[in-house]
């Protein structure tokens, strides 16, 4: 049966327990339709932490306790840098992600990737193009990291889990080893990574997410690897004024939103939170108000945890209980049950 979301009936879309390309296309089609329904909706998301380090459902449960809802999407980072000077690939959050998917939610995986030099993940790599050359020490190290990532993502594929996969995030900044690289070299590395995971490993459960940072205002699309290797485009954006930006660090968020839409892919706010107001006073209702009024083609937002979290700031209820927000309970369905198309009926 169709399920009511925000008071309107919705049409079902198959959610395949076995995973694979059909399941990926179903999820992507469902997400792509969200901004175009008469009763538009945006999926809520929350970051659960770093796998093998801080990842748990503790803060997610606090959010549910305060608001009455689990977020529609749960995210994990495969990069455990919390307990190591250099990032380690850790996929131990997979068990929780499988249960989340089975409970009707969506799943996202990102990674603060290990540097192939052995340095910390925030030390820029100078010989970036060597990642695609396994005759170099850097290339061999990167290949080993890719294999571990592929093992974790393959485990999710076998469980039927479709993954919003967000590698190389904030590549237009200057705080990660993969960031601020020459755009052509970055695109080659993305293509190499895509080819390995999709073609060599056969992972057809990945929705590839391209996510630059909104504090770098002019180079959002310079690193875009092409429509054939990206499914969703987004912005990682921390600002105290989501309605347009603060005019200083985030100078013109409206323009950035339009620039990302020009790529012709579903759009998401792939990380969001306050920038300076991290003292518990940020009003999270600002984000859903801004999405409705200025960024209505947003398919999902991913709120960060800890001091940026809605549950540790103000008005989490206003965010999660807004009629536009689609939480886990109104995505609907356990494994094998339907997703639901966006509501229709309001112009």
């Amino acid at each position: 049966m169709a399920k009511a979301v925000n008071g309107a009936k919705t049409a079902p879309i198959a959610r395949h327990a076995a995973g694979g390309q059909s399941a990926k296309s179903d999820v992507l089609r469902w997400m792509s339709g969200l901004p175009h329904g008469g009763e538009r909706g945006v999926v809520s998301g929350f970051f659960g932490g770093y796998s093998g380090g801080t990842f748990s459902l503790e803060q997610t449960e606090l959010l549910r306790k305060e608001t009455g809802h689990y977020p529609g999407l749960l995210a994990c980072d495969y990069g455990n840098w919390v307990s190591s000077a250099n990032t380690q690939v850790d996929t131990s959050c997979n068990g929780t992600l499988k249960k989340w998917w089975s409970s009707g939610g969506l799943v996202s995986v990102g990674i603060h990737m290990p540097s192939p030099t052995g340095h910390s993940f925030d030390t820029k790599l100078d010989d970036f193009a060597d990642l695609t050359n396994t005759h170099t020490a850097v290339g061999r190290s990167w290949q080993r990291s890719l294999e571990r990532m592929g093992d974790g993502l393959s485990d999710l594929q076998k469980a039927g889990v479709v993954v919003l996969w967000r590698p190389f995030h904030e590549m237009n900044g200057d705080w990660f080893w993969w960031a601020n690289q020459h755009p052509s070299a970055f695109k080659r590395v993305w293509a190499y990574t895509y080819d390995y995971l999709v073609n060599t490993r056969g992972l057809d459960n990945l929705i590839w997410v391209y996510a630059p940072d909104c504090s770098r205002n002019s180079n959002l699309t310079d690193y875009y690897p092409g429509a054939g290797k990206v499914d969703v485009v987004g912005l990682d954006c921390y600002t105290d004024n989501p309605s347009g930006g603060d005019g200083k660090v985030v100078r013109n968020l409206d323009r950035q939103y339009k620039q990302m839409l020009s790529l012709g892919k579903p759009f998401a706010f792939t990380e969001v939170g306050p920038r300076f107001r991290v003292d518990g006073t940020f009003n999270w209702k600002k984000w859903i108000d801004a999405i409705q009024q200025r960024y209505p083609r947003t398919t999902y937002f991913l709120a960060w945890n800890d001091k940026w979290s809605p549950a540790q700031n103000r008005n989490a209820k206003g965010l999660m209980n807004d009629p536009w927000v689609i939480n886990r309970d109104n995505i609907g369905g356990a494994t094998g049950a339907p997703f639901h198309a966006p509501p229709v009926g309001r112009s």
Side-chain angles (χ1 to χ4, degrees):
M1 292 180 62
K3 179 178 178 179
V5 177
N6 302 338
K9 286 188 176 180
T10 64
I13 296 177
R15 177 186 180 116
H16 300 273
Q21 185 62 36
S22 57
K24 169 185 172 176
S25 61
D26 289 334
V27 174
L28 192 56
R29 183 169 54 248
W30 181 82
M31 287 177 52
S32 300
L34 291 176
H36 304 291
E39 188 103 7
R40 293 170 175 167
V42 58
V43 177
S44 60
F46 187 67
F47 179 59
Y50 299 95
S51 187
T54 64
F55 182 83
S56 77
L57 288 182
E58 182 178 354
Q59 293 188 46
T60 309
E61 291 290 350
L62 288 175
L63 186 61
R64 182 204 59 80
K65 184 176 181 180
E66 182 170 338
T67 68
H69 299 286
Y70 286 116
L73 180 150
L74 179 67
C76 169
D77 193 301
Y78 273 178
N80 178 14
W81 58 271
V82 178
S83 57
S84 173
N86 182 31
T87 309
Q88 302 298 312
V89 178
D90 186 290
T91 63
S92 60
C93 66
N94 274 9
T96 300
L97 297 182
K98 292 175 191 176
K99 291 177 182 177
W100 190 268
W101 173 264
S102 296
S103 298
L106 297 177
V107 164
S108 177
V109 173
I111 181 166
H112 286 72
M113 296 170 288
S115 173
T117 64
H119 295 133
S120 63
F121 72 86
D122 56 357
T123 300
K124 183 179 178 180
L125 176 64
D126 292 328
D127 47 354
F128 193 70
D130 282 353
L131 292 178
T132 64
N133 183 359
T134 55
H135 296 294
T136 66
V138 164
R140 289 191 294 272
S141 178
W142 176 240
Q143 189 64 38
R144 289 192 292 271
S145 291
L146 274 182
E147 289 169 0
R148 290 192 289 270
M149 294 179 219
D151 290 344
L153 296 169
S154 178
D155 177 56
L156 293 175
Q157 180 191 46
K158 291 174 183 176
V161 181
V162 176
V163 180
L164 286 150
W165 169 237
R166 188 180 62 126
F168 303 110
H169 69 292
E170 301 172 14
M171 77 299 292
N172 61 328
D174 56 10
W175 44 85
F176 296 135
W177 64 260
W178 60 86
N180 197 27
Q181 300 289 342
H182 192 281
S184 62
F186 179 86
K187 292 173 188 178
R188 287 199 303 274
V189 170
W190 183 290
Y192 179 86
T193 303
Y194 181 95
D195 181 67
Y196 172 75
L197 292 176
V198 173
N199 297 320
T200 301
R201 296 298 297 265
L203 298 176
D204 56 4
N205 62 323
L206 306 181
I207 294 175
W208 288 73
V209 181
Y210 172 78
D213 188 89
C214 74
S215 70
R216 296 297 191 265
N217 296 272
S218 60
N219 60 350
L220 299 178
T221 60
D222 290 356
Y223 302 92
Y224 184 62
K229 295 178 174 60
V230 173
D231 299 300
V232 171
V233 298
L235 288 172
D236 288 10
C237 198
Y238 291 83
T239 177
D240 298 334
N241 181 31
S243 292
D246 56 23
K248 297 177 182 179
V249 178
V250 183
R251 290 195 290 273
N252 191 328
L253 190 51
D254 294 348
R255 183 174 60 206
Q256 294 179 47
Y257 166 73
K258 292 175 182 177
Q259 186 178 5
M260 298 305 288
L261 290 181
S262 73
L263 295 172
K265 298 288 184 176
F267 172 81
F269 279 108
T270 44
E271 279 188 35
V272 292
R275 178 171 288 274
F276 300 113
R277 298 195 66 173
V278 289
D279 56 357
T281 64
F282 180 72
N283 182 355
W284 266 93
K285 185 70 162 57
K286 287 183 177 182
W287 264 109
I288 189 58
D289 289 345
I291 287 171
Q292 289 184 56
Q293 296 163 16
R294 305 177 84 114
Y295 321 117
R297 290 177 62 182
T298 303
T299 58
Y300 70 88
F301 64 85
L302 179 66
W304 213 241
N305 63 355
D306 295 335
K307 62 184 178 181
W308 299 272
S309 167
Q312 296 186 38
N313 282 273
R314 294 178 49 223
N315 218 348
K317 285 184 179 179
L319 173 74
M320 298 289 284
N321 287 280
D322 189 278
W324 265 46
V325 172
I326 300 172
N327 299 307
R328 196 179 78 175
D329 52 347
N330 54 15
I331 287 178
T335 297
F339 270 126
H340 296 281
V344 295
R346 187 178 71 187
S347 59

